Amino acid sequence: MAGIKPKQFKGPLTFIAEENIIGGTWVAPVSGTSERVQTAATASTTAVGIALGDASAYDFANADTTDAWGNPVTNAHYPPPEVAVAYQGIFILKNVHASTAIDFGGTVGVGTDGVGVLPNTTAAQIVGRCVQPGGIAAGESGAIRIGGTA
């Protein structure tokens, strides 16, 4: 019997950053491109996962100034232009809703400006499920399973 070869079996996927991305935020594809991601919008329907680290929109070292001899001095502290994105797993994420708790087993969507999660989303916006026993109160953090069948 012939098998199937997976493109990705375990681990994160890597994408090129369209904008500066902060690790721990949700990312989504940039409209009209095939390889770049940006910070996901609130309640995004296209989020592909959570950035595991920071990424820079720059794919080169930037000359910030010159030294006494006129040579460019570059800032070597920019993060790389690629970002590893987790699409499955359990993460401790903040419920960014001001007043609504997330029930144990409840579904969640992308939080405000890609940060944290929001409860009670529509089917197209679901990115995960609360696996924190007792749920997660508004403004608190807890275990969220992302990926799979959410």
Side-chain angles (χ1 to χ4, degrees):
M1 178 172 165
I4 185 167
K5 196 171 202 177
K7 176 178 173 56
Q8 182 78 25
F9 185 64
K10 293 201 181 240
L13 294 170
T14 303
F15 300 100
I16 298 171
E18 175 74 11
E19 63 185 21
N20 293 341
I21 294 175
I22 299 172
T25 58
W26 291 93
V27 296
V30 174
S31 179
T33 69
S34 61
E35 62 183 45
R36 295 183 182 267
V37 293
Q38 63 190 358
T39 303
T42 305
S44 171
T45 59
T46 60
V48 294
I50 297 175
L52 294 177
D54 295 341
S56 172
Y58 305 108
D59 59 358
F60 54 88
N62 292 298
D64 292 328
T65 186
T66 56
D67 62 17
W69 298 272
N71 299 313
V73 177
T74 60
N75 183 346
H77 299 289
Y78 283 115
E82 299 88 17
V83 62
V85 177
Y87 56 88
Q88 63 183 2
I90 298 174
F91 294 86
I92 304 300
L93 299 175
K94 184 175 183 177
N95 175 3
V96 295
H97 197 278
S99 59
T100 304
I102 300 171
D103 294 332
F104 180 39
T107 57
V108 296
V110 174
T112 308
D113 297 325
V115 177
V117 290
L118 291 168
N120 306 325
T121 58
T122 65
Q125 298 169 336
I126 295 172
V127 293
R129 187 173 296 278
C130 177
V131 292
Q132 180 70 41
I136 306 170
E140 298 297 321
S141 298
I144 300 293
R145 184 191 64 194
I146 68 169
T149 57

